[in-house]
Amino acid sequence: MVKAVLFDLDGTLLQLETQEFMKIYFKEVANVAAPLVQPQRFTDALLESTYQMIHDRNPQRTNSDVFWADFTERLSDCIDNLTPLIENFYAEKFRNLSWLAKPSESAREVVQAVLDKGAKIVLATNPLFPRSAITDRMAWAGIEDLPWEIVTSYEDMHFCKPYLEYYDEIASRLKLAPQECLMVGNDVGKDIVAGSLGFKTYLVTDYVIDNDQSDLKPDWAGKLDELAVWMKETDIFK
C-alpha cells in the first residue's frame, strides 16, 4: 500500500523546458553579480560548485554546506560582497522568471487526489536551490499552499538526484519503507531511478527526459492530465 507520493517539480507539476529555464536563470543571476565578478567566471564557478554539490555524498554535510564551501573558495576575493547580491536575487528577482513556466490545472488536481486518498505528499525536486526559489516555483504551479510533508531544498537535504541516498533520506524522514512510496517525475535517470530502491514509479511524459536509459522502466506512465484521472481511480492506496 502506498502511503506517500513524491512529486518532482520542474517538467512534472510545473511545465517548463528545463534547459531553456536554466540558460536564462544563469544569465540573470550572472548579471546581478556582474558589478563584482566577470559573468563567465561567475557562471563557471556556479556550475562547478553545483557539480560538487550534486556528487557529494557525505551525510554530515547539507547540500548548502557543500555548495557554499566550494563556491567561497572559487570566488574568495569577492564572496563577502557577492553573497548579499545573490541572496537578494533569490528574494526579489528569481520570481520574475515565472514567464518561462506554463502552469497546468492538472498539477493541483493530481496532488489533491493524493490527499483525498489519505496519503502524504512530498515535493521531491532536486535540492539544488534555496527554499525561496523552490517556493516561488511551487507558486507558479499553483501548489504552494498544499500541506506538503517535506519540500526538499538545499538547506536541509544531504544528497541530490540521481543518487539513491536522496530517496532513502526522504523515506527515512517519512518513516516509511521505499515500497510504501510512489515517485512521480519526468526524468528517467533522476526520478524513475527511485525504482531501484523499491519505490513505485510513474513517468510523466509531457516533458520527458530519457537519456537512453533503457534499463530503468517506470511502473506506470502518462501525461499529467492522465495522471490526474489515474490517481483518482488507482487502488495502490488501499
Side-chain angles (χ1 to χ4, degrees), residues 28-39 42 75 78 82 85-86:
E28 292 297 320
V29 70
N31 286 342
V32 167
L36 296 176
V37 56
Q38 195 271 337
F42 175 86
L75 298 176
C78 60
L82 182 60
L85 295 182
I86 296 174

Side-chain angles (χ1 to χ4, degrees), residues 20 24 95-102 140:
E20 178 189 14
I24 295 174
R95 67 190 64 159
N96 295 332
L97 298 176
S98 62
W99 63 274
L100 291 163
K102 300 174 183 177
W140 303 347

Side-chain angles (χ1 to χ4, degrees), residues 45-61:
L46 184 62
L47 286 169
E48 287 295 331
S49 296
T50 299
Y51 179 89
Q52 294 300 321
M53 174 172 57
I54 290 171
H55 296 289
D56 184 271
R57 298 165 82 174
N58 182 348
Q60 303 303 317
R61 305 173 74 197

Side-chain angles (χ1 to χ4, degrees), residues 213-231:
Q213 292 162 300
S214 57
D215 57 321
L216 298 173
K217 300 292 186 183
D219 294 297
W220 303 278
K223 293 186 177 297
L224 186 62
D225 57 356
E226 295 171 334
L227 175 60
V229 175
W230 183 86
M231 280 294 185

Side-chain angles (χ1 to χ4, degrees), residues 11-225:
T12 300
L13 294 180
L14 181 62
Q15 300 194 334
L16 55 72
E17 293 287 354
T18 302
Q19 289 187 343
E20 178 189 14
F21 175 81
M22 294 304 293
K23 179 180 178 181
I24 295 174
Y25 156 71
F26 282 129
K27 179 181 178 181
E28 292 297 320
V29 70
N31 286 342
V32 167
L36 296 176
V37 56
Q38 195 271 337
Q40 189 60 56
R41 181 188 173 208
F42 175 86
T43 301
D44 289 346
L46 184 62
L47 286 169
E48 287 295 331
S49 296
T50 299
Y51 179 89
Q52 294 300 321
M53 174 172 57
I54 290 171
H55 296 289
D56 184 271
R57 298 165 82 174
N58 182 348
Q60 303 303 317
R61 305 173 74 197
T62 66
N63 294 345
S64 176
D65 291 339
V66 175
F67 174 84
W68 281 104
D70 191 82
F71 195 64
T72 296
E73 184 175 345
R74 294 178 188 277
L75 298 176
S76 58
D77 56 308
C78 60
I79 194 66
D80 289 343
N81 293 321
L82 182 60
T83 300
L85 295 182
I86 296 174
E87 291 175 344
N88 182 69
F89 170 79
Y90 284 118
E92 303 294 339
K93 298 180 179 180
F94 182 87
R95 67 190 64 159
N96 295 332
L97 298 176
S98 62
W99 63 274
L100 291 163
K102 300 174 183 177
S104 168
E105 291 182 3
S106 296
R108 190 178 183 91
E109 185 180 357
V110 166
V111 181
Q112 187 60 55
V114 175
L115 292 170
D116 292 343
K117 297 284 188 175
K120 297 177 180 179
I121 54 172
V122 174
L123 200 287
T125 185
N126 210 0
L128 309 179
F129 286 97
R131 180 64 179 259
S132 62
I134 295 169
T135 301
D136 282 340
R137 301 202 319 280
M138 292 169 70
W140 303 347
I143 56 171
E144 80 284 1
D145 60 324
L146 294 173
W148 298 95
E149 194 76 16
I150 298 171
V151 175
T152 60
S153 64
Y154 84 163
E155 291 96 339
D156 58 4
M157 293 296 292
H158 301 81
F159 306 100
C160 296
K161 300 176 184 179
Y163 293 109
L164 294 181
E165 291 97 328
Y166 168 80
Y167 292 102
D168 187 54
E169 182 172 8
I170 294 173
S172 296
R173 288 175 61 181
L174 291 170
K175 295 182 171 58
L176 294 175
Q179 293 77 10
E180 296 176 301
C181 302
L182 169 67
M183 178 63 202
V184 176
N186 69 306
D187 191 314
V188 174
K190 294 178 181 176
D191 300 322
I192 306 308
V193 69
S196 301
L197 194 65
F199 282 62
K200 301 295 185 184
T201 57
Y202 192 110
L203 179 66
V204 176
T205 58
D206 301 73
Y207 293 84
V208 69
I209 300 173
D210 183 359
N211 296 317
D212 196 27
Q213 292 162 300
S214 57
D215 57 321
L216 298 173
K217 300 292 186 183
D219 294 297
W220 303 278
K223 293 186 177 297
L224 186 62
D225 57 356

